[in-house]
Amino acid sequence: EGNAPLLSTGGSGDLLAGAIAGLVSQTNSLLEAAILAVNLMIAAARKNSFLMDRGMLPSELSQHFPYLLKRKF
């Protein structure tokens, strides 16, 4: 979707794995949790799309998670 450069930094995979683990405990479905986590990461990257000239730190992504989860992104 055009956000791949933003997500191609060290720690993004760790953040994704943590998001999946947290969501699987709420959904009881690994597949559903993985799909939700990927969409959460994409939504967080879009919130910081002004940083297109560099990748995003995991902390820059995760700071948007609470807001996005409340809104059901």
Side-chain angles (χ1 to χ4, degrees):
E1 292 258 349
N3 292 314
L6 292 174
L7 299 174
S8 63
T9 58
S12 292
D14 296 327
L15 183 61
L16 179 60
I20 293 170
L23 291 168
V24 79
S25 69
Q26 296 177 19
T27 64
N28 293 321
S29 166
L30 183 57
L31 178 60
E32 186 178 348
I35 291 168
L36 286 170
V38 167
N39 286 318
L40 181 62
M41 295 277 286
I42 291 169
R46 285 183 178 150
K47 299 283 284 171
N48 283 335
S49 61
F50 63 91
L51 298 172
M52 288 298 276
D53 60 332
R54 65 170 181 86
M56 295 176 62
L57 298 172
S59 60
E60 293 171 327
L61 285 167
S62 64
Q63 71 183 1
H64 297 292
F65 284 8
Y67 171 78
L68 291 168
L69 288 168
K70 284 181 187 173
R71 291 192 61 227
K72 298 185 180 171
F73 52 102

